Amino acid sequence: MKEELIDEKFNGKKYTFNGYFSYEFRHYIYEQCNNKCWYCDLPLPLMNYKNPPQIDHIEARSTGGTDNEWNLVLACRRCNCSKGNRDFFTYIKNP
């Protein structure tokens, strides 16, 4: 597979290489979320090997969510695992 080329701001298009988010795209998501978990505000250093930050889908892919940048946020492992495939509003009401 070839990497999908898109402009600097991604314009809502996925930015992947062989099914994985590219380093540049991950860094973009980190910046958009101020290097904090979007759900609990826990600071997440970019290079944390013990508890690496995860890219989470606000609306899970299993329920129709996409890999578009507007559907992706930075999450700590605890929040991402406890959210599962629930959407954001369902998770916030009952974490």
Side-chain angles (χ1 to χ4, degrees), residues 45-59:
L46 187 60
M47 300 304 259
N48 181 350
Y49 297 105
K50 186 175 180 181
N51 186 18
Q54 300 180 357
I55 303 293
D56 183 46
H57 294 81
I58 297 170
E59 182 182 354

Side-chain angles (χ1 to χ4, degrees), residues 20-35:
Y20 296 97
F21 295 116
S22 69
Y23 173 79
E24 292 84 3
F25 188 76
R26 286 180 173 274
H27 193 66
Y28 172 78
I29 297 295
Y30 294 146
E31 287 179 351
Q32 293 301 307
C33 295
N34 296 317
N35 291 348

Side-chain angles (χ1 to χ4, degrees), residues 1 6 8 12 15-18 27 32 40 42 44 46 59 63 65 68 73 80-82 85-86 88 90-91 95:
M1 294 181 117
I6 54 179
E8 294 176 24
Y15 195 78
T16 60
F17 183 73
N18 290 338
H27 193 66
Q32 293 301 307
C40 71
L42 177 73
L44 297 170
L46 187 60
E59 182 182 354
T63 60
N68 291 331
V73 294
N80 194 17
C81 290
S82 66
N85 71 343
R86 295 180 286 172
F88 169 74
T90 305
Y91 175 68

Side-chain angles (χ1 to χ4, degrees), residues 56-67 71-72 83-87:
D56 183 46
H57 294 81
I58 297 170
E59 182 182 354
R61 289 180 17 187
S62 64
T63 60
T66 66
D67 286 339
N71 189 45
L72 300 169
K83 178 180 170 278
N85 71 343
R86 295 180 286 172
D87 67 36

